[in-house]
Amino acid sequence: MSGYSTYRRWQDIEARCAALGFRLANSKYGTRDGTDIVALYPKDDSLPCYTRDAELFCGTFSAVENFIFGCEKAQQYDML
C-alpha cells in the first residue's frame, strides 16, 4: 500500500499531540520554501490561549515530531 506508513506516522503523531493538548492540522500558510507544513493548535480549552485558532507551532512533519518529543521529555522532567 502506497503511503500507509505515512498515514500510520500521522496517526501516531496525532495521538501524541492529543495527549499533550494539541491538535494537528494543516497550516493556514500552506507551504514554506516549497515544502508542505503542518501546524499545532490548542485542543478545546486544554491549554491557556487567547485565541483558539492561533498556531502554536508550524513546520514540516519531522519538525512537529521533534517538537512533540521535546514537549513529552519536558513533561516527564517536570513530573520528577
Side-chain angles (χ1 to χ4, degrees):
M1 268 194 275
S2 176
Y4 183 71
S5 61
T6 303
Y7 176 71
R8 291 291 300 154
R9 186 176 168 198
W10 178 273
Q11 283 185 325
D12 179 52
I13 295 298
E14 270 188 328
R16 290 170 59 195
C17 287
L20 291 172
F22 300 120
R23 74 178 161 85
L24 189 63
N26 290 330
S27 176
K28 297 177 195 175
Y29 306 109
T31 63
R32 180 185 298 159
D33 300 327
T35 305
D36 289 334
I37 56 175
V38 293
L40 295 176
Y41 296 95
K43 183 178 125 184
D44 300 327
D45 294 327
S46 57
L47 294 174
C49 190
Y50 293 106
T51 175
R52 293 287 149 212
D53 62 344
E55 292 182 358
L56 301 175
F57 179 84
C58 66
T60 63
F61 203 57
S62 296
V64 169
E65 282 181 312
N66 291 335
F67 179 78
I68 292 299
F69 180 75
C71 288
E72 289 171 341
K73 290 298 176 186
Q75 187 178 44
Q76 289 173 0
Y77 180 78
D78 287 343
M79 290 184 179
L80 287 178

